[in-house]
Amino acid sequence: MTTAMGAALRRIQLGNALSAFGNGFTVPFLFVYVARVRDLGANTAGMVLATFAVAALAVLPFIGRVIDRRGPLSVAVAGAVAAAVGSMGLGLAASEPLVIAAAGVLGAGIAAIQPALATLIVWCSTPITRSRAFATQFFLGNLGLGVGGLLGGLLVDTSAALSFVRLFAIDAVMFLVLGAAVATVRLERTPVFDDPVPTVDERLGGSGGWRALLGNRAMVQLCALGFVMFFACYGQFESGLSAFAVDVARISPSMLGIALAANTAAIVLAQFVVLKLVERRRRSRVMALVGLVWTVAWCVAGTAGLIPGSQAVGVTAIISAYALFGLGEAMLSPTVAPLVADLAPPSALGQYNSAFALVKQLALAVGPAAGGLMAGAGLYGAYIVTLIVCSLGITALALMLGRRLTAEQDNPLRAVAGAAVPAPRAASSDEVTTAA
């Protein structure tokens, strides 16, 4: 990787971290803000959260081809501007139609940013350095989100709408900072890098499209695996698992906040230790291990309901489960996104990143709905068993996927002889450059 590529990557990572920092000021308080501060009720707050998912599902099927045709830079900048407008709109809106419209703009902007940033990270890395690049993105994103949430909690005042306007303004500014950081990256239209950056003809020509993607059996299997992963973890945090923790484990909402903090802390503390352990191992085996870790997490969470009246056991079990989920997430961050990139033809990288983001969004829409329905019916025993089965399914699907991957796709570091990071090439006028 050249010095210019490294400088571009650092700029992208910094912008991503700052935008996550801004998100931390608003994400934990959005429901309370809409329902109580703006006095629009819980139903409207639920519609706002649903609007995020609907907007993302509307944008993601098309944004991949735009990235491949126009490049990820313009898409990321446009997405950041849209997200800034949507966030500021949420802070200023006082009526139901305006709040929902702002949520739609914010959701569409974030949906455009995610695959565009993933494509940029691939362009600014090599197969050897890609796992570390995505692990760093995940680490910085969680760190920024956690710090922003802590600071937002100090600034928030539910009796004053102006305090929330301030929070959303910070979030909007951080999105603009992300857009500015990305806009200062300059990618030449005919780069010399062999693997990470497609040429103009490749970008405009195309082996892309949904038909070609669906013909890639390995990618289809990875999408199926990704759906189960996001359903069994992220899709349960805000619905079934939190309801189980409060109704069965009898822990207070404040302790639930500590459990979420434990999840973030596990990611931040374990990320680079885990990276050293997994980056030289087969990706399919790492994902299979994540399924086992999450199986243990759901079993631990289930113990919270086995000893009625023991709040200490319930608190310990729920916090431990959230921490185990964080450990699994830290294992996935250097594994899944680089594998999507290695499965994609250069001319369809944006399409593949967008498709996987779409799968994630579908799981995040279905997961809370399914968990909420089971919790609402009081089927907590069946709920825990279902999630244990899903986690074991992750292990099985990952091992099946491993049989379809080439040695280089499953682990570039072991497939390449002497897998040290290659020395930088001599600079040329065609290389990636960054603005001063």
Side-chain angles (χ1 to χ4, degrees), residues 65 111 140 145 162 179 182 187 191 193 208 264 286 317 328 350-351 354 376 393 424 432 434 436:
R65 293 304 291 159
L140 291 175
L145 191 65
L162 184 61
V182 172
L187 299 175
F193 303 111
T264 301
V286 173
Q351 182 80 39
S354 181
V432 176
T434 56

Side-chain angles (χ1 to χ4, degrees), residues 35-303:
R36 299 180 185 176
V37 178
R38 290 300 183 184
D39 198 27
L40 297 176
N43 288 337
T44 300
M47 289 180 64
V48 167
L49 295 176
T51 300
F52 284 120
V54 171
L57 292 175
V59 167
L60 285 170
F62 309 102
I63 203 68
R65 293 304 291 159
V66 178
I67 293 172
D68 291 326
R69 291 179 179 275
R70 302 296 181 186
L73 284 173
S74 58
V75 174
V77 171
V81 172
V85 171
S87 185
M88 197 66 252
L90 276 172
L92 297 174
S95 66
E96 180 176 330
L98 290 177
V99 167
I100 292 174
V105 174
L106 177 57
I110 293 174
I113 291 170
Q114 291 175 346
L117 285 184
T119 302
L120 279 170
I121 290 173
V122 173
W123 282 22
C124 295
S125 62
T126 69
I128 303 301
T129 62
R130 201 160 289 152
S131 291
R132 185 166 294 272
F134 278 104
T136 300
Q137 181 199 31
F138 190 67
F139 167 81
L140 291 175
N142 278 276
L143 181 62
L145 191 65
V147 173
L150 289 174
L151 294 178
L154 297 176
L155 296 175
V156 71
D157 180 1
T158 55
S159 64
L162 184 61
S163 71
F164 283 87
V165 174
R166 185 162 54 242
L167 296 184
F168 282 102
I170 293 172
D171 191 23
V173 169
M174 290 300 104
F175 276 121
L176 293 177
V177 169
L178 169 62
V182 172
T184 59
V185 175
R186 295 290 178 263
L187 299 175
E188 292 292 335
R189 296 181 68 82
T190 55
V192 297
F193 303 111
D194 295 330
D195 50 85
V197 187
T199 64
V200 176
D201 289 339
E202 287 176 321
R203 283 204 307 241
L204 298 180
S207 59
W210 286 100
R211 182 177 299 178
L213 188 151
L214 293 174
N216 187 329
R217 297 284 186 86
M219 183 61 187
V220 171
Q221 282 190 257
L222 179 59
C223 286
L225 173 59
F227 181 88
V228 180
M229 283 179 175
F230 294 119
F231 177 91
C233 180
Y234 300 96
Q236 304 306 320
F237 279 4
E238 296 177 0
S239 60
L241 182 55
S242 58
F244 176 85
V246 173
D247 293 343
V248 178
R250 302 295 179 186
I251 74 171
S252 66
S254 61
M255 291 306 298
L256 191 59
I258 293 175
L260 286 167
N263 174 264
T264 301
I267 294 169
V268 171
L269 294 175
Q271 183 64 84
F272 291 104
V273 175
V274 167
L275 177 64
K276 289 184 177 180
L277 296 175
V278 306
E279 64 181 347
R280 289 188 176 275
R281 287 168 173 78
R282 294 174 59 181
R283 290 165 171 168
S284 58
R285 299 291 176 84
V286 173
M287 290 185 284
L289 181 58
V290 170
L292 296 179
V293 171
W294 286 354
T295 298
V296 174
W298 283 110
C299 289
V300 169
T303 63

